[in-house]
Amino acid sequence: MSRDYPLEKVRNFGIVAHVDAGKTTTSERILYYTGESHKIGEVHDGNTVTDWMEQERERGITITAAAITCFWNPSYMGTDLSQKVRFNVIDTPGHIDFTSEVKRSMRVLDGAVVVFDGVAGVEPQSETNWRYAEEAEVPRICYINKLDRTGASFEKSYASILDRLSTKAVRLQIPIGAEGDFDGVVDLLSMKAYKFEGEMGKQVVAYDIPENLMADAKKYRAELVERIVENDEKLMTEYLDGKEIALDVLKANLRKAVIKNEIFPVLTGSSLKNKGVQLVLDAVVDYLPSPLDLPPASGINTDTGAEETRPALDDGPFAALVFKLQVDPFVGALTFFRVYSGFINTGDTVYNSANNKKERIGRIVRLQADKREEVKTVYAGEIAAFVGMKEVKIGNTVCDPEHPIALESIVFPQPVISMRIEPKTKADQEKLGIALSRLSDEDPTFRVNSDPETGETIIAGMGELHLEILVDRMKREFGVDATTGKPQVAFRETIQGEADVEYKHIKQTGGRGQYGHVKIRVKPLEPVDPDKKVKANVDREDHFEFINNIKGGVIPAEYITPIKKGLKEAMDRGVLAGFPVVDISVDLYDGSFHEVDSSEIAFKLAAINAMQDAMKAAKPVLLEPVMKLEVVTPEKFLGDVTGSINSKRGLIEAMGERGQARVVTAKVPLSELFGYTTQLRSLTEGRAVPNLEFSHYAVVPRNVADEVIAARK
């Protein structure tokens, strides 16, 4: 089978930014200019295509990543798809509570357009998103938006990118005017000025650069050309010899540098005022990679254990990564996937390398935010969704049964906040279980567990808004009426000392008894040294290390796995207040067994008790999540803001300026921040804006720890 457009004309990219920088507004313009929608939706009117959930339209924020497919070629408006570039665009959330949506989207995207507010420049979530893109090595284009706003400054925003994100950023455009006088952009490579005229700025009109901007344009073009040629020795020599380098050569070399993450071009405009978006789309075509420009996906052959690659070829074995699950009220369970190689038809059977199960594909849909277009075949480089798959989870690889492979999965941050939830009526009880199960499948940062002492159901997530949205979804989508308790902080426990413990589990009740004997040493887990090879007897997982130093068969090999399971089980409930235990290294170095009475359960119980004794002896401490808090406030309230942070055990790290406002950056324990937004509004007449982001876990001060432990008991 053959596709109706070439693979080199595919761009999989995301629109990412801090909340309220204009991502969704930009996405709506992309849909309009590519002809996918005939009316521009606006966030403030609640009629956008990509923000389609009721909760998104009510709050004016993006909660879930929306995928859209469209085609772009400004010089060709016909129906022949081979003449156009196919865009698979993902509009991601900007709020820190929904950061997992950005992280998983980065895993399957080939490029990103990072949007910045022209007034605020780089904001906290801009930094988090940039970090995710760095981890995934995703090429980026920067787009400084909202240049029509009062206080907007291209140069200040550009300086904040250089200062806080990367010195590899370089101007590709400069604005014509600013604030109310913002009138268009100058392209520094072509040395042309552009205006956006006609209905919704549809007509892009090129003209000569205004005289008052010519000196700046020449200066910044020289900077841009220098950055491009320094990546190519031959071009550098020609440039230094004073030769004029052709525009197509400069563009080709800029493209190579962007794909290698050596240059991040900076563009500008105002999406709301319909200025600049078409040139961003042209830059996506010119500089962001197609699937063919990137290294092939790599993974492990689940049959042989050997590392294998999957180049982006239609005739290769099928391999795709599942990155999102969603329950659709009309078509049922949707499984979003990105195809890395081969193609898949409806009716084919795929193999899930995570659970060794095969499943037949009933239907496949192409995504248009909340609308679905049914398709028969999906090819390499495409993003689509299976309908009705039952045995898949986020991060699973689905592939050709004859060529099994497990691609690199997706790692998500741990929840930092939890609350109690209970159904209002008996009828709600059954529905609650179904709703919690479906929502936790959809969202890997949403966890559900039961408190073994009280029997209460506990839900955990990334923030108060995250849990509030999920409870609201339970009510609207699943018809569950539930009451929730006060949010609780997800404390952890760890050790600061070392301990050497011996434990014998001996039980004689007539007949065969139980005998398990272990000796263990515990110590705090040290960070991984990437240059150090892991020894064969060391089994390292997230926050736990198991070292097997048993020599001469003093404990038979079949009892080692039950011992490890017992140690991990003991870490589920700490010795101080019953919170999960993290970052412990356990060395099993001795023990003994009984020919008749030893069993797996005996050694597991011995390990559980040994671990509990060891944790008590090794200076146990409580850990609490600490948040990075940034408050943007008018100067007259600066004293009140810093005072409020200090009263919450906060540590102020920096104070700066952003336009006319002052910015305070601090680290504050999450337990002190419940209801802080409301408190801050009353302190500052509603004019200060807080931004929160998880930073790290830190040891709880003794007096606070005593209160937490007493409350738990």
Side-chain angles (χ1 to χ4, degrees):
M1 298 189 73
S2 62
R3 60 171 80 225
D4 49 9
Y5 54 90
L7 188 55
E8 60 268 17
K9 291 196 172 183
V10 173
R11 301 289 183 272
N12 295 311
F13 67 98
I15 311 285
V16 298
H18 184 88
V19 66
D20 207 29
K23 295 176 309 306
T24 301
T25 304
T26 304
S27 299
E28 291 297 318
R29 268 63 187 173
I30 292 172
L31 282 173
Y32 179 73
Y33 295 132
T34 56
E36 284 299 323
S37 65
H38 303 291
K39 177 179 179 294
I40 293 181
E42 301 292 6
V43 174
H44 50 266
D45 292 335
N47 62 355
T48 55
V49 173
T50 52
D51 282 357
W52 55 272
M53 290 171 65
E54 289 178 44
Q55 293 90 341
E56 293 178 311
R57 290 181 170 179
E58 286 169 2
R59 291 169 170 81
I61 61 169
T62 303
I63 291 167
T64 182
I68 49 180
T69 299
C70 48
F71 294 86
W72 175 249
N73 182 341
S75 59
Y76 179 83
M77 306 312 285
T79 55
D80 181 359
L81 298 184
S82 66
Q83 300 294 316
K84 298 185 177 186
V85 176
R86 178 197 181 98
F87 288 163
N88 296 311
V89 191
I90 295 184
D91 174 32
T92 64
H95 198 287
I96 184 63
D97 283 15
F98 309 104
T99 188
S100 69
E101 292 280 344
V102 183
K103 194 169 178 70
R104 63 173 153 202
S105 298
M106 285 295 181
R107 176 68 180 79
V108 296
L109 293 172
D110 300 332
V113 175
V114 188
V115 184
F116 300 93
D117 184 320
V119 178
V122 174
E123 296 176 90
Q125 191 62 16
S126 314
E127 294 181 81
T128 306
N129 293 339
W130 194 271
R131 192 170 67 247
Y132 290 157
E134 290 277 289
E135 288 169 11
E137 297 182 351
V138 172
R140 277 143 279 168
I141 286 173
C142 302
Y143 171 53
I144 297 174
N145 187 25
K146 299 191 174 185
L147 271 206
D148 60 299
R149 283 184 61 201
T150 303
S153 165
F154 174 81
E155 287 303 322
K156 279 187 180 174
S157 298
Y158 174 65
S160 72
I161 294 171
L162 293 177
D163 180 45
R164 296 173 65 177
L165 298 183
S166 175
T167 53
K168 295 177 183 176
V170 64
R171 301 173 188 83
L172 191 62
Q173 298 174 346
I174 56 172
I176 300 169
E179 301 183 348
D181 298 324
F182 176 62
D183 198 33
V185 299
V186 171
D187 182 279
L188 296 174
L189 272 187
S190 65
M191 286 299 273
K192 286 279 181 191
Y194 291 93
K195 279 187 177 179
F196 304 87
E197 298 178 346
E199 186 190 355
M200 299 295 181
K202 245 186 170 180
Q203 294 167 14
V204 183
V205 181
Y207 64 104
D208 291 335
I209 296 171
E211 202 60 45
N212 63 325
L213 288 174
M214 185 56 83
D216 280 348
K218 284 179 177 174
K219 180 175 86 171
Y220 295 137
R221 186 180 196 274
E223 279 179 21
L224 173 62
V225 173
E226 271 180 37
R227 292 290 296 278
I228 294 170
V229 300
E230 71 186 19
N231 293 296
D232 186 303
E233 206 171 304
K234 186 181 166 212
L235 275 189
M236 189 69 171
T237 306
E238 287 181 16
Y239 178 72
L240 293 174
D241 288 345
K243 289 182 184 173
E244 183 62 38
I245 297 162
L247 180 61
D248 58 341
V249 175
L250 286 172
K251 280 182 136 181
N253 278 273
L254 177 55
R255 176 181 176 77
K256 285 180 195 168
V258 171
I259 291 170
K260 287 181 185 173
N261 282 319
E262 288 166 352
I263 291 180
F264 303 117
V266 181
L267 293 84
T268 188
S270 167
S271 297
L272 185 65
K273 293 294 183 336
N274 310 307
K275 293 174 182 175
V277 176
Q278 294 99 314
L279 298 186
V280 173
L281 298 185
D282 288 345
V284 167
V285 173
D286 291 340
Y287 308 120
L288 288 185
S290 77
L292 293 173
D293 294 314
L294 297 169
S298 62
I300 303 296
N301 184 312
T302 52
D303 282 351
T304 65
E307 188 169 321
E308 293 184 359
T309 58
R310 292 287 186 269
L313 300 169
D314 290 344
D315 55 4
F318 174 69
L321 184 75
V322 173
F323 69 96
K324 182 176 168 69
L325 301 179
Q326 186 177 310
V327 178
D328 186 283
F330 303 108
V331 298
L334 285 174
T335 303
F336 290 60
F337 64 96
R338 155 77 191 265
V339 184
Y340 284 94
S341 76
F343 63 88
I344 188 79
N345 296 311
T346 52
D348 288 353
T349 297
V350 294
Y351 173 72
N352 184 342
S353 59
N355 60 13
N356 302 322
K357 290 186 178 177
K358 292 180 183 177
E359 214 166 329
R360 188 175 175 277
I361 303 303
R363 292 165 62 201
I364 304 174
V365 292
R366 190 172 287 150
L367 306 146
Q368 203 63 358
D370 61 335
K371 295 183 178 65
R372 319 283 172 230
E373 175 199 341
E374 201 151 329
V375 292
K376 297 295 180 194
T377 309
V378 182
Y379 298 94
E382 283 195 34
I383 292 172
F386 298 125
V387 178
M389 284 190 86
K390 294 179 175 66
E391 300 286 343
V392 288
K393 302 282 184 194
I394 290 164
N396 288 178
T397 301
V398 288
C399 54
D400 180 348
E402 301 300 314
H403 300 86
I405 190 170
L407 300 172
E408 185 188 342
S409 192
I410 311 170
V411 180
F412 293 99
Q414 294 290 317
V416 295
I417 187 171
S418 62
M419 64 165 63
R420 175 180 49 78
I421 187 166
E422 58 186 41
K424 279 190 177 174
T425 66
K426 190 86 174 157
D428 287 317
Q429 192 151 3
E430 195 176 314
K431 289 192 285 185
L432 177 67
I434 295 167
L436 291 174
S437 171
R438 289 226 187 131
L439 290 171
S440 60
D441 280 347
E442 279 186 32
D443 186 346
T445 59
F446 175 57
R447 306 284 168 85
V448 183
N449 55 58
S450 181
D451 188 316
E453 288 183 2
T454 63
E456 293 174 331
T457 301
I458 307 295
I459 58 174
M462 299 305 295
E464 285 182 275
L465 180 62
H466 185 201
L467 294 181
E468 180 192 319
I469 296 283
L470 287 164
V471 171
D472 189 42
R473 284 187 63 194
M474 280 180 222
K475 188 171 183 179
R476 295 193 197 195
E477 293 173 31
F478 299 94
V480 178
D481 243 354
T483 55
T484 53
K486 186 183 169 192
Q488 303 290 318
V489 176
F491 288 99
R492 298 280 183 267
E493 296 184 26
T494 192
I495 56 171
Q496 289 188 315
E498 300 183 11
D500 194 322
V501 168
E502 175 181 8
Y503 193 91
K504 280 185 183 177
H505 177 73
I506 305 173
K507 204 169 184 184
Q508 201 69 45
T509 53
R512 185 177 171 180
Q514 289 183 19
Y515 183 92
H517 173 211
V518 296
K519 291 183 181 180
I520 61 171
R521 291 190 193 96
V522 301
K523 63 178 183 178
L525 184 63
E526 293 171 4
V528 178
D529 183 349
D531 300 325
K532 216 173 180 180
K533 198 174 177 186
V534 179
K535 293 179 183 173
N537 67 331
V538 176
D539 189 356
R540 187 154 188 156
E541 299 175 19
D542 245 7
H543 305 295
F544 173 66
E545 181 180 70
F546 177 65
I547 305 168
N548 177 10
N549 270 323
I550 294 299
K551 305 280 192 303
V554 293
I555 297 176
E558 65 262 31
Y559 299 136
I560 301 300
T561 300
I563 289 171
K564 184 187 167 191
K565 281 182 182 171
L567 295 170
K568 287 190 72 179
E569 202 171 294
M571 289 174 66
D572 289 343
R573 285 185 65 77
V575 294
L576 289 176
F579 293 109
V581 182
V582 294
D583 299 336
I584 290 189
S585 174
V586 185
D587 180 358
L588 173 67
Y589 69 92
D590 202 0
S592 64
F593 74 105
H594 189 278
E595 289 285 356
V596 178
D597 291 349
S598 284
S599 63
E600 289 191 1
I601 188 67
F603 272 101
K604 185 179 177 183
L605 290 168
I608 289 172
N609 287 293
M611 189 65 164
Q612 286 176 339
D613 289 350
M615 289 190 295
K616 287 174 187 169
K619 298 180 186 168
V621 289
L622 270 190
L623 299 174
E624 65 180 342
V626 175
M627 309 300 280
K628 179 183 176 185
L629 171 68
E630 184 185 274
V631 180
V632 182
T633 176
E635 186 162 7
K636 72 176 200 175
F637 301 113
L638 186 62
D640 295 328
V641 169
T642 54
S644 75
I645 291 170
N646 289 329
S647 71
K648 295 185 176 300
R649 295 195 283 128
L651 178 67
I652 294 173
E653 294 187 321
M655 285 195 265
E657 294 180 7
R658 188 174 294 165
Q660 302 298 309
R662 301 297 297 273
V663 183
V664 183
T665 307
K667 296 279 172 60
V668 189
L670 175 63
S671 58
E672 302 285 342
L673 289 171
F674 294 131
Y676 182 63
T677 303
T678 309
Q679 184 187 337
L680 190 66
R681 280 179 187 146
S682 62
L683 270 178
T684 62
E685 299 169 8
R687 291 168 67 191
V689 180
N691 288 299
L692 270 177
E693 172 183 350
F694 173 71
S695 173
H696 64 283
Y697 269 91
V699 176
V700 179
R702 187 74 230 171
N703 61 322
V704 179
D706 288 343
E707 286 176 24
V708 174
I709 293 165
R712 289 282 283 187
K713 285 179 178 173

